[in-house]
Amino acid sequence: MSDRVRLGVNIDHVATIRNARGVSYPDPARAAIVALEAGADGITAHLREDRRHISDADIENLSAMLRERGRPLNLEMAVTSEMLEIALKHRPPAVCLVPERREERTTEGGLDVAGGHNWIAPFVQKLRDAGSRVSLFIGADPLQIEAASRTGAQVIELHTGAYCDAARDGLADEAATILEALKAGARQAASLGLEVHAGHGIDYETVAPIAAIPEVAELNIGHFLIGEAIFTGLADAVGEMRRRIDAGRAGA
């Protein structure tokens, strides 16, 4: 078991608020600094094909700012030639490959690594050759986890959205079943030599059981933290999440 679970804060929705008015504020880079000072270990940003929140300029600014501070940028992106070109230009320390559909509100499921192996594996190799650590965002499906291990990716990020939704809706039995699948997936991935991350839909009430999974080394959390920041401020929201992650791991 890792002694400490890293926290990556996704600042996409700071850009969503900015873009609603077409102005220059709030600045995602400023949010990133606040998050790091409050206990985040790194910053995650998803550059979508339709640029609905994070922009190319944001990635350029975040890359430079985080490099100066010696902190990692985790660039989430679709498996497309355009995104590969951008990643190879900026060479972020971490890249997480995610499925993406223009009509979805948020990433709805995991990447089909088994079905897309012949496209994904060369993509992973190019990113690794550029010095990026590559993660694949997948469901806790044994077939997908095994396929991920054959792509050359060093990391998987387990999609926790279904667990968080069931827990929030009071569906205790369903949540427990999904949590067991996440635990089994984490064990399988670790046995295959993959580092395990997790993310999507996590809030204060759902974070502890996920942080308690021994193989989980990093959580990436965004939407809830930006929403909570409206009421308590971003530094307090990140600080509280950091405390709950640590308590969840200690309780394990």
Side-chain angles (χ1 to χ4, degrees):
M1 181 195 291
S2 171
D3 290 336
R4 184 176 185 274
V5 180
R6 298 189 301 272
L7 171 59
V9 173
N10 185 314
I11 45 79
D12 288 353
H13 295 298
V14 177
T16 300
I17 296 169
R18 175 196 63 194
N19 296 351
R21 292 292 295 269
V23 292
S24 60
Y25 60 88
D27 181 5
R30 182 181 177 189
I33 293 169
V34 172
L36 292 170
E37 290 177 347
D41 298 286
I43 297 299
T44 294
H46 184 175
L47 183 65
R48 280 183 168 267
E49 292 183 88
D50 61 9
R51 308 308 198 267
R52 67 178 64 170
H53 36 60
I54 293 294
S55 69
D56 298 71
D58 289 327
I59 296 302
E60 187 164 346
N61 293 339
L62 287 165
S63 295
M65 184 271 289
L66 292 169
R67 193 174 294 115
E68 286 177 3
R69 288 167 170 76
R71 307 299 283 275
L73 171 65
N74 176 32
L75 175 61
E76 290 185 344
M77 63 188 216
V79 189
T80 68
S81 298
E82 180 198 19
M83 291 299 149
L84 178 61
E85 183 178 345
I86 292 168
L88 295 179
K89 173 184 175 184
H90 293 292
R91 297 174 179 255
V95 172
C96 185
L97 302 179
V98 303
E100 189 173 310
R101 296 187 302 115
R102 287 180 182 268
E103 64 271 23
E104 68 187 2
R105 291 185 179 181
T106 184
T107 307
E108 294 174 346
L111 197 64
D112 180 10
V113 184
H117 179 272
N118 292 343
W119 169 243
I120 294 169
F123 205 97
V124 168
Q125 189 59 55
K126 289 176 183 177
L127 290 166
R128 289 193 61 168
D129 289 345
S132 295
R133 194 163 188 236
V134 184
S135 174
L136 304 179
F137 187 65
I138 61 176
D141 178 338
L143 177 66
Q144 297 297 340
I145 294 168
E146 195 278 330
S149 74
R150 293 187 282 106
T151 65
Q154 301 103 313
V155 183
I156 63 162
E157 180 167 335
L158 294 173
H159 191 306
T160 54
Y163 164 71
C164 294
D165 288 344
R168 271 192 296 272
D169 290 343
L171 305 174
D173 290 344
E174 182 178 338
T177 298
I178 299 169
L179 183 61
E180 287 305 311
L182 289 168
K183 291 177 180 178
R187 288 193 297 270
Q188 178 189 0
S191 74
L192 293 169
L194 294 163
E195 182 169 296
V196 181
H197 299 177
H200 202 82
I202 297 172
D203 60 16
Y204 289 155
E205 304 308 317
T206 55
V207 70
I210 299 169
I213 298 173
E215 295 81 8
V216 169
E218 179 174 306
L219 298 177
N220 285 296
I221 306 173
H223 183 266
F224 172 78
L225 289 174
I226 302 309
E228 188 68 10
I230 295 171
F231 304 103
T232 68
L234 184 57
D236 283 351
V238 172
E240 178 63 18
M241 186 62 77
R242 174 75 268 166
R243 286 189 288 275
R244 292 187 184 230
I245 291 171
D246 293 343
R249 176 49 59 95

